[in-house]
Structures are given as structure tokens and as C-alpha cells.
């Protein structure tokens, strides 16, 4: 004689026609498929990029993050380098691993020296891959050391020098008494990577006055002044 099955306790039954139950079932299936897909990707062996590194812009004094997505199983060994030199995980460069497959490098306290090509090398027992991207630095134009005031004798050569910086490299101009200097064979200026030099040959008393060095790029402007006296 068969026994009647006991009814389930209240609240323990599911109505498969209930829209909420159906929606929950769809979410569970999607989650399982996603987990299975990730697992299958991790079982491919050699490391491979799911998303490559991209160039980033670093503002002076701030932080930048280079990141990519990687598939690798077993878990890989990861090394970051800059212009061929390995970077150690520490206060300046921070290795970041974000679940499930994001690998990143954070560069802190940005300075002009951080400009360059960064490479991540990823390897495990099945193989190796690497990718690169650049950090671009934005530094406001600046006169880091202004020209010194000068007293010179008539007929001598006067040289005014200023140290400058900025990224991208700034536009440079020299002014006398508020007016742009018109260059010629006697009065001219040169612009280098880190400085600019104004030369005045065969100085005349009319060359005496207030000189200004002016620098400008997309992120800022700066200027400095000096006086020239001709005796």
C-alpha cells in the first residue's frame, strides 16, 4: 500500500509559470553560461589579450592607469617595463590585478620623466605574450629659471638665457619694453630643448630696457623679466 506524499511546507513551492520565477531562472542560466565561458577561456593555455593596452595621458602631479584584459591559465607571471627597464611594484609603480581578468599598472605622481613606452609581459607554462602603450605627459609651459639682469658696455655682446619646460614643448617669444623683438643678424634668439638664449651683438644704448621671456602651450603660460643697461 503506497503512502501519500506529504505536502511541502508552506513557502517551499515554486510556480514555474510565475513571471518572477521565470526571470530568476533566466538570470541563473545566463550567470552559469558566463561562468562557463570564462572557465573555457582560462583553459586555453597560453596567455592572450582580450583587450589590448591603450595610450593614456598623464597630467603632471596626478596618476595614470594602463590596463588590459588577459586570458591565461594557469595564472601567469606578469612584468611591467618602461623603455626596456623593468618596473618594480612599489610606491611609484603599482601592479594591479582586478578580477577576473584585468591587469593594470598605476603610475603615481606624474612627472615629465614618466613619458615613454610601457610594456606588459605575461607568461605561464604554456607560452608568453606582451603588449605596449605610451604614457603621454601634459605639463604647463614654465620658465624654470629666468634671465639675469645685465650691465654691459656699448659695442659688446649681451646674452640673456632662460631655462624653460613644458610638454608639449612651448612656443617661445622674447619682448623688449612690451614689444615683440624683431630678429635680425644683430639681435636674435635660439630655442633649445630646455632653454632659450637671446643674443644682442654690438650692443647700443637703444638696446637698454626691460626684456621679457614668454612661454606658452595648451596647458599654461609663464614669463620672466630682466633689465639690460648699456654703459
Amino acid at each position: 500500500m503506497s503512502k501519500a506524499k506529504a505536502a511541502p511546507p508552506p513557502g517551499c513551492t515554486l510556480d514555474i509559470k510565475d513571471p518572477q520565477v521565470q526571470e530568476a531562472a533566466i538570470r541563473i542560466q545566463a550567470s552559469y553560461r558566463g561562468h562557463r565561458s570564462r572557465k573555457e577561456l582560462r583553459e586555453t593555455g597560453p596567455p592572450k589579450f582580450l583587450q589590448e593596452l591603450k595610450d593614456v595621458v598623464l597630467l603632471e602631479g596626478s596618476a595614470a592607469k594602463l590596463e588590459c584584459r588577459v586570458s591565461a591559465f594557469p595564472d601567469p607571471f606578469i612584468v611591467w617595463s618602461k623603455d626596456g627597464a623593468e618596473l618594480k611594484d612599489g610606491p611609484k609603480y603599482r601592479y594591479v590585478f582586478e578580477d577576473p581578468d584585468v591587469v593594470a599598472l598605476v603610475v603615481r605622481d606624474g612627472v615629465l620623466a614618466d613619458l615613454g613606452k610601457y610594456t606588459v609581459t605575461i607568461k605561464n607554462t604554456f607560452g608568453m605574450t606582451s603588449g605596449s602603450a605610451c604614457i603621454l605627459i601634459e605639463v604647463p609651459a614654465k620658465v624654470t629659471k629666468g634671465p639675469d639682469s645685465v650691465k654691459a658696455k656699448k659695442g659688446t655682446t649681451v646674452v640673456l638665457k632662460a631655462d624653460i619646460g613644458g610638454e608639449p614643448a612651448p612656443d617661445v617669444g622674447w619682448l623688449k619694453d612690451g614689444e615683440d623683438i624683431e630678429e635680425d643678424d644683430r639681435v636674435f634668439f635660439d630655442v633649445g630643448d630646455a632653454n632659450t638664449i637671446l643674443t644682442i651683438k654690438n650692443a647700443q644704448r637703444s638696446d637698454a630696457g626691460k626684456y621679457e621671456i614668454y612661454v606658452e602651450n595648451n596647458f599654461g603660460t609663464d614669463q620672466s623679466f630682466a633689465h639690460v643697461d648699456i654703459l
Side-chain angles (χ1 to χ4, degrees), residues 99-189:
D99 188 58
D101 49 23
V102 175
V103 175
L105 177 74
V106 175
V107 181
R108 296 172 173 170
D109 302 321
V111 294
L112 190 57
D114 293 322
L115 179 74
K117 180 180 179 182
Y118 290 75
T119 299
V120 60
T121 301
I122 305 164
K123 58 183 177 181
N124 65 11
T125 53
F126 290 96
M128 179 182 74
T129 189
S130 64
S132 299
C134 291
I135 284 185
L136 311 173
I137 308 295
E138 295 179 348
V139 181
K142 188 171 184 60
V143 179
T144 55
K145 183 180 184 301
D148 295 323
S149 294
V150 174
K151 291 183 178 180
K153 292 182 178 181
K154 180 181 176 181
T156 60
T157 297
V158 174
V159 175
L160 298 177
K161 178 182 177 182
D163 294 337
I164 59 175
E167 185 62 39
D171 295 326
V172 178
W174 284 88
L175 296 82
K176 176 182 180 292
D177 298 328
E179 300 291 335
D180 289 338
I181 291 176
E182 298 293 337
E183 294 183 89
D184 54 30
D185 292 340
R186 192 180 70 84
V187 181
F188 55 89
F189 62 88

Side-chain angles (χ1 to χ4, degrees), residues 4 23 33 72 83 129 161 175 177 194 211 216:
E23 182 179 352
R33 284 196 298 268
D83 298 328
T129 189
K161 178 182 177 182
L175 296 82
D177 298 328
Y211 286 78
E216 178 181 20

Side-chain angles (χ1 to χ4, degrees), residues 147-150 158 160 173-179 181 186-187 198-200 203-214 223-230:
D148 295 323
S149 294
V150 174
V158 174
L160 298 177
W174 284 88
L175 296 82
K176 176 182 180 292
D177 298 328
E179 300 291 335
I181 291 176
R186 192 180 70 84
V187 181
L198 173 68
T199 302
I200 305 171
Q204 304 299 307
R205 288 192 170 87
S206 60
D207 294 319
K210 181 181 180 181
Y211 286 78
E212 176 187 352
I213 166 64
Y214 180 85
Q223 64 275 330
S224 185
F225 302 90
H227 284 86
V228 172
D229 293 322
I230 305 299

Side-chain angles (χ1 to χ4, degrees), residues 5-6 11 21 29 67 79 81 83 95 103 107 143 147 150 159 163 173 188 190 196 201 212 216 219 231:
K5 293 184 180 179
V21 173
Q29 290 173 353
E67 67 178 23
V79 173
S81 60
D83 298 328
Y95 284 33
V103 175
V107 181
V143 179
V150 174
V159 175
D163 294 337
F188 55 89
D190 298 303
T196 177
K201 294 182 177 180
E212 176 187 352
E216 178 181 20
F219 307 102
L231 306 176

